[in-house]
Amino acid sequence: MLNTSIAKVLLLLAWTTCLTLALPRPGRGADDGLDKAGIVHKVTEVSTWISNQISGSFAVLNDFFHCTQSSDGRACSQKDSERCLAHTASKCTSLLGKLRGFPLGAAAMLVLFSLFVWLLIHPIQVMEWFWIQSQLFSIQLKYIGAPLSVQYQVFLLLWLEKSRRLEMLQISKANGTIWSPRSEKLPHVDNLAAKKKNKKSMKGKMGPEPIMKDVVLIGGGHAHAYVLKSFGMDPMPGVQVTLITRDVETPYSGMIPGHVAGFYTKEECHIDLIKLGNFAKARIIHGEAYGIDPEKKIIRIKGRPDIPYDVLSINIGSAPKLGDSANQIQDSHVTPVKPIDGFSARWDYIVSRAKALGDAKEGIRLAVVGGGAGGVELALSMQSRLRREFSKLGADPNLVDVTLVSRNDVVMPSHSKMVQNIFMKLMKERSINLVLGKEAVEVKNKTIICNDGTQVVFDECVWCTQAGAQSWLKETGLKLDKDGFIEIQETLESVNTKDVFSVGDISTMVNHPRPKAGVFAVRGGPPLTRNIRNRILGKPLEKWIPQKDFLGIIGTGEPSQCVASRGTLGIEGAWLWELKDWIDRTWMTGYSSRLPLMEMEEDPPSQVAVAAGPEALAALAHASMRCGGCGAKVGATVLSKVMNRIRKEFPFPNNDVVVGLDAPDDCAIVKQDPQGRAQVHTVDFFRSFIKDPFLFGKIAANHALSDCHAMCAEPRTALAIAVVPFGIEAKVEETLYQMMAGACTVLAESNCVLVGGHTCEGSELALGFSINGLVQWPNGALTKNGMKDGDVLVLTKPIGTGTLFAADMRSRSKGVWIAEALKSMCLSNKAGADILKAHGATSCTDVTGFGLLGHLWEMTKASSSNVELDLSSIPLLPGAIDCVKNGIFSSLQPANVRLKRSIENEAEALKHEAYPLIFDPQTSGGLLATVPAAKAERCIQALRGSGYASSAVIGRVLSAGTSAGSIRCVP
C-alpha cells in the first residue's frame, strides 16, 4: 500500500533528522557534541529502534535471519543481531563524520543504512510484507476518488487487515501449513507459541495475606473480565476481589451473531468466569444481586447473607425493554436479546424447533423487532443458519421466512447512508420482509401489532430494540438518568456515591453520553481497573472520555459478505469477515487459552528431603497441590492400620457401644434409651476447596449430616470446629459469619441445632461438625451389613467431584462443570434416605472420601456378599471423564486405588473410560444403597422426582460363594 510506504519513509526521515541535528558540528568542542563512541551508540540505538518499529508493525520480531558478516568473516548468529548492528555501524562512523555539517545528507545516509541493515536481517519478512501489501493495494485503489475521510478510514482498516494476514501467515508457517488470504477454514489465533509467549513467573512464595480491603464486582461483563485478568497478572496483597455473577459463563456480544449463524460454538464465544476468577484468585459468588445499601456499604444477594464492600463496581449490562406497552407483550415466544445469555439459551431451543419443522417439511416464521445494527445482523444470521439446517434435512430453505419490524424508515439509522444502502440491498436479495416506519406496540397470540394496525404473524420473535436498566437500581440511592441507568463521572465513579463505579451498558457518562455498545465496556476495562486500584491506595482518580465513534464490522450470516462501518465509511467484502473473526478470536483467547501462565519459582528441596529419598521428594513436589474437601482425607489403608493398632493397645470396653470402632459404619451408635432409641455420633472436618465461605459452609454441613442420613438417623445437635485465616477483625468476623450462616441454613433444614463449637486461626479456611442424633435400634437403622442376594445397587448422585476440583486447582476445568458439581454437593441426602427406606432398602452408606469402590467394598465385607458393578450405568458429573482422560486426579486417588485388589476382573474393567472414577474421592456425595429388585424401578422414579435427577441402578448383589468382598465390574 503506497500510503503506508510513504508514512514509513517520512517516519524514518523525521527520526534520523533529529539524530543528525544532535551530531557534532564543525567548530564545536569535544564537550559540545558526541564523540566517536557516542555516535556509534546513537546510530546503534536508532538503527535498532527503526528495525524494531518496522518489524513490530507486523509481529515478526521472533524470526531473525542471518545478517552481515563479522570482521573475521563468520556469519553473525540470530541472537547477536544487535551486536551485528553495532559492528556495522562502527564501519560507517568515518563516513558519517565527514557529513556532520550536512544534516540532510547524514539523515539520508542513516535512512539508507538502517533500511540496508534491516533488509539483511529480515529478507523473508520483507518479501512477505510486500506480498501482503500487494494484496491490499487493489482495495485501496478502489477508494482513490472517495472523500479523504473515507480514504483515511480505509487506510486504518487495511492496516489492521495487514496485521491479521501477517499473523496468520506466521501461524501457518509455525504449524507447517500453507495459508492464503481466502482460506476456507478460518485459523484460530490461539496456539502453543502464544501460550509460551504469555508465560510469566512469580518469584517467592505466595503466602496468605490478611484481607484488608474488599473489591466487589457485580456482573460478569466485558469490563469486569478485564479487571479480573488485571488482578490475576498484578495482584494487590491484602485485597480480596469478589465477583457476583448470575451465570458462570458470560457471552462476548461481538461473537453472538456468529454463534447464531453457526460459525462459533457456545464455548468459543463465552468467557468462563470461574476459570478467570481462579486465575485472579478471586472469590466467585454464583448468585444474583438485587440491592445495594451505599451507607452501610453492603450488597444484597438472593438466597444468602449480605456481602460488604470497600470498593464496588457494577457492570451488569442491560435488561430487556419491550417498549412503552411492555405490559401488553407477554407472549412466551418473544425473546429479548438483552440479557444476551438468556437469548443464547433460547436460540438453542429455536434451532431445535426449526429442525423439527424442517424434518416435517414445514416452514417457520421468524420476526425481529428492531432495525438497528443488532437487529439487522441477527435477522440475517438467523435466516442463514436456519436455511442451512433446512437444506441439510432436504427441506426447501425458502420455508424459513424472516420479517424485520422497525419504527424507522430505514435500517441501520445511526450508520452512514452508504451502510444503509448496502444492507437495504442485501436484505432485499435475501428475501427478508421489511416492515419499516411502523412501531410494534403489542404482541398477542404470536402476532405483532403495530401502531398503524399492521400485523405480523410469527412462530418465534426476537426483540432487539433499545434496552433498559434493571429495576432494582431505583432503590439503591444511586443517581440514575431518565432511563434508569447509573450516572457516572469521567472517572467512572457514581456522580453521588463515593466508592461505587460503573461501566458498560448499565451506565451513562453525564457529560459524554455514548450508545449502548459492547465496545465501550471493553474500552472501559483498563480505566476502571486503574481507578479501582487508585481508590484502594488513596490516589487521585484518572479521567477517561470514551471515543465518539468506533469501527463496526457487521456480519451477514455468510462468510462471503461482511460490512465495515465507521463515520462516513461503508465497505463490504469477504476479507472483512476474516478480519472480524480474527479480532474477536484474539480478544476471546486473551481471556482463555492466552491467559498468562503465572508460574511460581519454587525453592529447591532441602538437603534433608534429598537425603530422605524419592518418596520424600515426591511428597514435597505434590504438597502444594493437595486437594481440599474429602479429597484431603488420610487414605483408607493408613487409617485402617492406625485403627487396628489403637484397638489392640486401647480396647475401650464399653457395653453401651452398639456400633463402634469394630464396625465400618458411618456413625457410632450408643445403647438405646427406654423408648428404643439409640444415640448416634459422627464427625467430619476438612479444609475449604472454594473461596466462597457461605457455599463452603453449606457443603461442609451437608457432608457432616450425610452420615446420619445414611443410617436413617435423626440429627439433633451439632458442635462446630472452624478455622479462619488471620486478618483484621472486621474481615475475620465477616468470613466466619458467612461460613456459619451457610452451615446453619443446612442444619436447620434437617432440624439439627448448632449448640456450640470451637474456633481458631489458621492458614486456610476449614470447617467441621460433630453431629449427635437418635435412631430406632435396631429396626430403624440402615447399616452397611444388610446386603441380600438379588438386591440391586442404587446410587443417588453422580460422582466425579475429586477429579473436577483437582482440575479446578490447575485451571483446567470449565465453569459449568464446577457449577454442576457444587449444585450436587449442596443437595441434601435427607430426602433420598427417606425414599430408600420407604422402598425397603436393606443397607446404605454415603459415598465420600474413599470413593465409590471403597465404600462398596466396605459394604460387601460387612455383609459377606459379592457384587456386580455396571460401569456404564454409573452417573457421572459433567466433565469428569474429560478430566481423567487428561490425567487429572485427586491427591487421594493413589491411596484409593490400592483397593483395586477387591476387583476380580481388573484387566477387563480397565477398558472402560469410567473405571478410574470409581476410586475418585467424593465430597458431599450421594447415597449408595441396596434395594429389592422388585422395588427398584419405583424407587428410582421417586428419587428423580425429588431432585435426584441422576439416580440410577448401577449393579446387583451376588451370592458370596466361597469368598466374600469380591467386586466384578461389567464394562
Side-chain angles (χ1 to χ4, degrees):
M1 188 166 53
L2 186 60
N3 289 355
T4 308
S5 303
I6 293 173
K8 285 288 183 181
V9 172
L10 290 175
L11 184 63
L12 293 172
L13 283 172
W15 273 85
T16 50
T17 300
C18 292
L19 173 63
T20 306
L21 292 174
L23 293 177
R25 303 287 184 83
R28 284 186 181 179
D31 295 338
D32 296 329
L34 295 174
D35 56 12
K36 182 176 179 179
I39 294 174
V40 173
H41 174 74
K42 279 288 185 181
V43 171
T44 302
E45 181 181 346
V46 174
S47 300
T48 303
W49 180 87
I50 292 170
S51 176
N52 288 346
Q53 290 300 309
I54 298 174
S55 302
S57 67
F58 43 85
V60 291
L61 281 173
N62 61 321
D63 294 329
F64 282 92
F65 289 84
H66 294 299
C67 50
T68 62
Q69 289 187 329
S70 61
S71 57
D72 58 0
R74 291 181 294 104
C76 294
S77 66
Q78 297 176 17
K79 294 182 179 179
D80 296 332
S81 58
E82 288 192 12
R83 183 169 57 83
C84 179
L85 283 171
H87 173 75
T88 307
S90 66
K91 293 182 179 180
C92 299
T93 302
S94 58
L95 178 60
L96 289 172
K98 295 177 182 179
L99 296 173
R100 285 182 297 177
F102 306 91
L104 293 178
M109 287 300 298
L110 276 172
V111 170
L112 293 174
F113 160 70
S114 300
L115 289 175
F116 173 72
V117 173
W118 187 78
L119 287 170
L120 290 174
I121 296 176
H122 305 288
I124 302 299
Q125 287 88 325
V126 171
M127 289 187 288
E128 292 171 350
W129 188 77
F130 278 109
W131 178 53
I132 297 296
Q133 292 285 48
S134 66
Q135 296 168 2
L136 302 178
F137 183 67
S138 60
I139 300 174
Q140 182 77 59
L141 285 177
K142 294 179 182 178
Y143 296 88
I144 290 298
L148 288 177
S149 60
V150 173
Q151 289 196 57
Y152 176 67
Q153 296 294 343
V154 173
F155 168 80
L156 294 178
L157 193 61
L158 292 178
W159 186 276
L160 192 60
E161 171 65 4
K162 180 196 65 177
S163 300
R164 181 193 74 84
R165 295 191 182 193
L166 285 166
E167 181 172 330
M168 294 298 98
L169 183 62
Q170 296 305 311
I171 292 174
S172 297
K173 287 167 59 180
N175 295 336
T177 59
I178 299 176
W179 175 84
S180 70
R182 293 292 175 265
S183 297
E184 292 184 5
K185 181 174 177 58
L186 299 174
H188 289 223
V189 296
D190 52 325
N191 54 75
L192 184 59
K195 293 178 183 178
K196 290 181 178 178
K197 193 184 299 180
N198 282 296
K199 184 180 291 187
K200 298 182 181 293
S201 79
M202 301 171 65
K203 294 183 179 180
K205 293 186 176 180
M206 295 288 289
E209 292 281 347
I211 301 302
M212 305 294 178
K213 296 287 185 179
D214 274 298
V215 173
V216 180
L217 313 174
I218 301 180
H222 303 339
H224 282 175
Y226 182 90
V227 174
L228 289 173
K229 182 178 178 179
S230 174
F231 272 87
M233 297 177 66
D234 185 17
M236 297 182 74
V239 175
Q240 177 175 254
V241 179
T242 299
L243 174 68
I244 302 172
T245 177
R246 187 186 58 211
D247 303 288
V248 296
E249 292 181 320
T250 187
Y252 174 43
S253 57
M255 297 178 77
I256 291 299
H259 170 59
V260 168
F263 301 140
Y264 305 121
T265 64
K266 184 177 180 180
E267 183 178 350
E268 287 176 318
C269 60
H270 283 71
I271 298 173
D272 189 328
L273 292 175
I274 289 184
K275 183 177 289 187
L276 185 59
N278 286 343
F279 172 77
K281 295 181 172 58
R283 177 175 60 171
I284 305 296
I285 294 179
H286 188 188
E288 186 173 358
Y290 70 92
I292 300 169
D293 187 334
E295 292 186 4
K296 296 181 179 179
K297 301 188 81 168
I298 58 173
I299 304 158
R300 295 191 169 90
I301 308 173
K302 292 180 180 179
R304 58 179 297 152
D306 300 339
I307 295 290
Y309 70 86
D310 295 298
V311 179
L312 172 65
S313 179
I314 305 172
N315 182 208
I316 54 178
S318 50
K321 185 178 180 181
L322 303 180
D324 297 330
S325 303
N327 60 326
Q328 300 182 45
I329 303 175
Q330 301 176 355
D331 196 305
S332 62
H333 293 276
V334 175
T335 305
V337 170
K338 299 290 183 76
I340 295 176
D341 52 292
F343 165 74
S344 179
R346 180 67 180 182
W347 174 245
D348 292 337
Y349 165 77
I350 294 174
V351 171
S352 62
R353 184 184 178 195
K355 287 181 178 179
L357 291 170
D359 195 39
K361 304 301 184 288
E362 298 179 14
I364 183 170
R365 296 163 299 183
L366 299 176
V368 177
V369 178
V376 170
E377 189 173 11
L378 279 175
L380 290 165
S381 298
M382 290 191 296
Q383 183 200 52
S384 179
R385 169 72 178 280
L386 296 185
R387 282 188 169 185
R388 287 198 301 270
E389 297 294 344
F390 270 50
S391 296
K392 291 177 185 177
L393 296 169
D396 183 1
N398 292 319
L399 290 173
V400 177
D401 182 75
V402 179
T403 300
L404 185 138
V405 181
S406 175
R407 64 182 178 183
N408 297 295
D409 294 327
V410 295
V411 297
M412 316 277 284
S414 62
H415 292 256
S416 68
K417 189 69 175 178
M418 190 181 300
V419 173
Q420 293 173 8
N421 291 338
I422 289 173
F423 277 100
M424 288 292 287
K425 177 184 176 183
L426 182 59
M427 299 184 84
K428 184 177 180 180
E429 292 173 350
R430 298 272 190 93
S431 299
I432 291 180
N433 308 310
L434 296 177
V435 180
L436 303 179
K438 301 175 182 181
E439 183 177 4
V441 295
E442 187 178 357
V443 178
K444 60 181 180 181
N445 301 324
K446 296 186 181 180
T447 302
I448 299 170
I449 303 174
C450 298
N451 55 354
D452 67 345
T454 301
Q455 296 187 2
V456 178
V457 181
F458 62 85
D459 295 307
E460 292 288 342
C461 175
V462 174
W463 207 273
C464 197
T465 58
Q466 186 177 6
Q470 282 83 345
S471 59
W472 62 265
L473 290 172
K474 297 175 183 178
E475 309 299 326
T476 61
L478 300 174
K479 188 174 181 182
L480 310 177
D481 68 6
K482 60 183 179 59
D483 296 316
F485 296 104
I486 302 170
E487 290 191 350
I488 59 173
Q489 308 171 54
E490 293 170 354
T491 59
L492 302 178
E493 190 174 33
S494 167
V495 296
N496 71 329
T497 306
K498 188 179 179 181
D499 298 330
V500 176
F501 296 82
S502 184
V503 73
D505 284 3
I506 197 59
S507 61
T508 297
M509 192 173 287
V510 288
N511 296 324
H512 308 280
R514 296 290 186 265
K516 302 301 180 185
V519 64
F520 297 113
V522 172
R523 294 291 179 88
L528 174 65
T529 304
R530 291 194 296 270
N531 279 342
I532 287 175
R533 292 177 183 271
N534 287 340
R535 178 49 50 85
I536 292 171
L537 298 174
K539 294 181 178 180
L541 301 181
E542 300 177 13
K543 291 185 177 181
W544 173 71
I545 300 176
Q547 63 200 76
K548 291 184 178 180
D549 61 359
F550 57 92
L551 172 66
I553 305 181
I554 306 160
T556 66
E558 296 291 341
S560 59
Q561 288 180 297
C562 197
V563 181
S565 172
R566 182 169 187 170
T568 57
L569 174 69
I571 181 174
E572 58 180 321
W575 63 273
L576 285 167
W577 166 250
E578 297 175 0
L579 177 60
K580 174 179 171 59
D581 176 77
W582 176 70
I583 292 171
D584 290 341
R585 289 189 191 273
T586 300
W587 191 85
M588 278 296 298
T589 54
Y591 293 90
S592 53
S593 60
R594 294 179 97 172
L595 279 173
L597 304 177
M598 311 300 286
E599 296 187 343
M600 290 294 300
E601 292 185 0
E602 297 287 346
D603 294 332
S606 66
Q607 294 181 357
V608 175
V610 173
E615 185 177 354
L617 291 174
L620 194 63
H622 293 91
S624 62
M625 297 298 288
R626 304 298 291 180
C627 292
C630 228
K633 269 188 175 183
V634 174
T637 303
V638 172
L639 183 61
S640 177
K641 289 179 179 179
V642 170
M643 296 315 298
N644 284 335
R645 292 170 63 183
I646 290 293
R647 280 192 292 267
K648 290 179 181 179
E649 297 179 24
F650 306 95
F652 292 122
N654 192 328
N655 295 330
D656 291 336
V657 177
V658 180
V659 176
L661 294 180
D662 293 326
D665 281 294
D666 301 303
C667 301
I669 298 179
V670 181
K671 197 171 183 179
Q672 63 264 35
D673 60 15
Q675 287 77 33
R677 296 181 300 178
Q679 299 178 30
V680 174
H681 304 277
T682 183
V683 64
D684 264 296
F685 176 87
F686 48 71
R687 67 177 187 271
S688 181
F689 51 94
I690 54 176
K691 294 185 181 296
D692 182 353
F694 179 80
L695 193 57
F696 171 61
K698 291 184 68 174
I699 293 171
N702 214 10
H703 184 90
L705 289 167
S706 188
D707 287 337
C708 279
H709 296 325
M711 297 190 78
C712 291
E714 179 186 352
R716 302 300 297 272
T717 62
L719 292 169
I721 295 183
V723 180
V724 186
F726 169 76
I728 61 176
E729 187 172 300
K731 302 301 180 184
V732 171
E733 176 188 343
E734 188 60 33
T735 299
L736 182 59
Y737 167 72
Q738 292 284 335
M739 182 170 66
M740 295 311 300
C744 288
T745 299
V746 171
L747 292 173
E749 291 173 354
S750 293
N751 297 318
C752 184
V753 180
L754 180 67
V755 294
H758 178 76
T759 61
C760 64
E761 293 178 349
S763 60
E764 296 178 282
L765 193 67
L767 181 63
F769 292 93
S770 172
I771 306 292
N772 302 303
L774 296 172
V775 66
Q776 288 295 132
W777 182 261
N779 297 326
L782 284 176
T783 60
K784 296 180 181 179
N785 62 2
M787 283 183 163
K788 296 181 179 179
D789 293 352
D791 284 352
V792 297
L793 297 173
V794 172
L795 182 63
T796 62
K797 289 188 189 181
I799 62 174
T801 62
T803 184
L804 284 170
F805 282 93
D808 189 53
M809 291 173 62
R810 296 162 174 80
S811 294
R812 295 179 65 183
S813 64
K814 294 181 181 180
V816 290
W817 297 348
I818 298 303
E820 282 298 313
L822 291 172
K823 181 180 177 181
S824 177
M825 291 167 150
C826 289
L827 179 61
S828 171
N829 281 325
K830 184 178 186 302
D834 293 339
I835 292 170
L836 290 169
K837 185 176 181 181
H839 288 81
T842 55
S843 64
C844 188
T845 186
D846 61 332
V847 180
T848 53
F850 298 149
L852 176 63
L853 186 86
H855 291 284
L856 179 58
W857 178 76
E858 288 179 339
M859 294 175 75
T860 59
K861 291 292 288 183
S863 303
S864 299
S865 300
N866 296 327
V867 297
E868 182 178 81
L869 181 63
D870 186 353
L871 297 179
S872 298
S873 298
I874 299 174
L876 306 175
L877 285 166
I881 286 290
D882 300 79
C883 292
V884 297
K885 283 183 177 179
N886 289 326
I888 302 173
F889 301 101
S890 167
S891 54
L892 186 57
Q893 179 95 359
N896 287 352
V897 169
R898 293 173 186 168
L899 291 175
K900 65 181 181 181
R901 62 181 182 272
S902 63
I903 301 174
E904 66 178 44
N905 61 331
E906 183 189 2
E908 187 178 359
L910 280 167
K911 299 176 183 178
H912 199 280
E913 62 180 4
Y915 173 73
L917 288 170
I918 64 176
F919 304 100
D920 188 59
Q922 305 303 293
T923 300
S924 191
L927 297 177
L928 176 63
T930 52
V931 175
K935 299 180 180 181
E937 184 176 352
R938 293 193 302 274
C939 180
I940 294 297
Q941 290 176 353
L943 286 167
R944 291 177 178 175
S946 296
Y948 304 91
S950 299
S951 296
V953 173
I954 63 169
R956 60 194 180 98
V957 180
L958 305 175
S959 174
T962 58
S963 62
S966 177
I967 300 171
R968 182 178 184 277
C969 292
V970 179

